[in-house]
Amino acid sequence: MSEGSRGSPLAFGQVVIGPPGSGKTTYCQAMSAFLGQLGRSVAVVNLDPANEALPGPCALDIAELVTLPDVMGSLGLGPNGGLIYCMEYLEANADWLRDRLRALRGHYVLFDCPGQVELYTHHGALKNVFAQLAKWNFRLAAVHLVDSHYCTDPGKFISVLCTSLSTMLHVELPHVNVLSKMDLIEQYGKLAFNLDYYTEVLDLSYLVDHLASDPFFRNFRRLNEKLVEVIEDYSLVSFVPLNVQDKQSMKQVMQAVDKANGYSFGDQEHRSLEALMSAAVGADFHFSSTLAVQEKYVQSQDKAVEEEVMDL
C-alpha cells in the first residue's frame, strides 16, 4: 500500500448510501463476500445508528458511540431528528472514528450509511464526515442504491432522478448510481420502456409524454418538463443494474466503483476474478438473462397493445 500525501497509507472503499429499504446492508454483505473471494481484505463499517440487527460481521459499529433509540429516548426526538443528531454527534466526535479506523488500515472498507435522504441532499454532517475520511487518505466512491421498482412508475422515476442528481452534487464524491433488486423487477409491474432507457437515462421527453397520458400528471406537464430539463442539462445521472445473487452483476458494479475511486488490483486478483466468473457459468442466475427477460417482457406488452388496436 502506497503512502499518501499526509504520511498515512492510502485506503480505498465505498460509502453506501440511499433511501430506506434500498438494500444497503444487503449490498455491503454481498459485496464484502464477493471481494473477499477475490482476495481483498474487506471490512464493513456500520454508520447507521438505527441498524440494530446486523446480518453479518461488522468490523466497526457506530453503536459503540451512539444509537438512535438512546437519542430518541433521552432527547425526545423522532426518528428523523434523531438520525440527524446522531450524524452531527459523529461529526463532532470524528477523532473516535479516526482512532477506530486506524485498526482497519490495509482493508478495503465498506461504509454502510443511514437511509435518511436529507442527509445526502442538503444536510452537511455526513458530507463533512466523508470529507474527513478523504483527509485521512481514504479514496472513496459513493454507491447510491435506488430500488428498481421506481422504474415502473414514471412519476417516481423522475423524482428518483432529481434525488440522485441532488445527492451527487451535495456529497461531492465520485458517484455510482445503482438500481438494486433487479431480480425482483418483474414483480413490481409493467415497464413503459426497455430497461436500458432507465439505466442510461435516455431521452426523458418520452417519459414526460407517457406521464401526460395520466389525468393526474397531465396537470403538471410543465413542471415535469422543467425537472427533466434540469436532469438533462447536468447530464450526470445514469444507473448500473444490480442483482446481488448474480456474480456477473456484482462484477459490473465492482468495476464501475473501482473506476470511480481509482482502485487498481493486481494480477492475483485478476486471476481470482477470472476463476470466479468461469465457475459461475451455469451455476448462477445469469444477469444478462434479466435484461433479456425485460426485452421480451416489454415486447410482449407492445404486441398485446397492437392486438387490442387491431381488434378495435
Side-chain angles (χ1 to χ4, degrees):
M1 188 174 287
S2 59
E3 290 291 318
S5 59
R6 294 172 179 79
S8 59
L10 285 175
F12 290 87
Q14 308 173 22
V15 292
V16 184
I17 62 180
S22 56
K24 297 183 294 298
T25 300
T26 300
Y27 169 86
C28 287
Q29 296 300 324
M31 185 57 74
S32 175
F34 183 78
L35 296 177
Q37 290 180 294
L38 302 183
R40 293 192 200 181
S41 297
V42 183
V44 176
V45 173
N46 178 42
L47 292 184
D48 185 359
N51 200 351
E52 299 180 271
L54 298 173
C58 183
L60 174 59
D61 191 350
I62 193 176
E64 300 173 20
L65 177 69
V66 64
T67 67
L68 181 59
D70 289 344
V71 168
M72 292 173 61
S74 60
L75 300 180
L77 296 173
N80 290 340
L83 271 174
I84 289 176
Y85 179 90
C86 289
M87 292 302 100
E88 291 175 346
Y89 191 77
L90 175 64
E91 179 189 3
N93 290 273
D95 290 345
W96 174 87
L97 183 61
R98 181 185 59 194
D99 293 342
R100 298 300 189 280
L101 288 175
R102 281 173 178 161
L104 301 180
R105 286 294 179 175
H107 289 74
Y108 186 96
V109 185
L110 300 173
F111 294 91
D112 186 0
C113 298
Q116 190 174 357
V117 175
E118 296 94 320
L119 293 171
Y120 313 117
T121 57
H122 58 272
H123 194 267
L126 207 51
K127 171 186 174 181
N128 294 336
V129 171
F130 297 158
Q132 282 291 340
L133 290 170
K135 291 179 181 178
W136 302 333
N137 272 353
F138 277 89
R139 298 297 178 260
L140 301 172
V143 179
H144 183 215
L145 298 183
V146 175
D147 196 316
S148 60
H149 88 269
Y150 290 115
C151 293
T152 61
D153 187 320
K156 290 182 179 178
F157 187 65
I158 289 179
S159 71
V160 161
L161 292 175
C162 292
T163 302
S164 299
L165 178 59
S166 178
T167 300
M168 295 175 76
L169 297 175
H170 181 72
V171 171
E172 297 180 350
L173 284 175
H175 212 90
V176 177
N177 291 305
V178 175
L179 281 177
S180 63
K181 305 181 184 179
M182 286 302 303
D183 52 319
L184 303 177
I185 192 169
E186 283 195 285
Q187 301 176 20
Y188 292 139
K190 296 180 180 180
L191 295 183
F193 306 98
N194 287 349
L195 189 63
D196 58 351
Y197 178 87
Y198 299 93
T199 56
E200 301 301 323
V201 190
L202 301 176
D203 189 349
L204 295 178
S205 62
Y206 292 105
L207 204 61
V208 175
D209 291 338
H210 186 76
L211 275 172
S213 63
D214 187 309
F216 175 80
F217 287 104
R218 189 179 302 137
N219 299 324
F220 301 98
R221 183 183 181 100
R222 284 180 58 82
L223 173 62
N224 287 323
E225 287 176 346
K226 294 303 179 183
L227 290 174
V228 162
E229 285 179 13
V230 171
I231 296 164
E232 292 184 328
D233 285 346
Y234 277 96
S235 190
L236 290 174
V237 184
S238 62
F239 294 94
V240 181
L242 171 67
N243 170 14
V244 296
Q245 299 178 10
D246 183 74
K247 290 185 174 61
Q248 181 64 33
S249 173
M250 295 293 288
K251 174 187 174 183
Q252 290 180 2
V253 174
M254 179 199 73
Q255 290 175 331
V257 175
D258 286 349
K259 183 178 179 180
N261 66 12
Y263 182 87
S264 178
F265 55 82
D267 291 338
Q268 180 58 48
E269 182 170 326
H270 182 71
R271 288 192 293 268
S272 298
L273 180 60
E274 289 183 339
L276 180 63
M277 298 312 299
S278 62
V281 174
D284 286 332
F285 173 83
H286 293 293
F287 188 61
S288 58
S289 68
T290 302
L291 306 185
V293 165
Q294 285 307 308
E295 294 287 341
K296 181 179 178 182
Y297 182 55
V298 175
Q299 288 171 6
S300 66
Q301 295 176 40
D302 294 340
K303 184 177 180 181
V305 171
E306 290 176 3
E307 290 175 351
E308 289 179 5
V309 172
M310 293 298 292
D311 291 340
L312 294 174

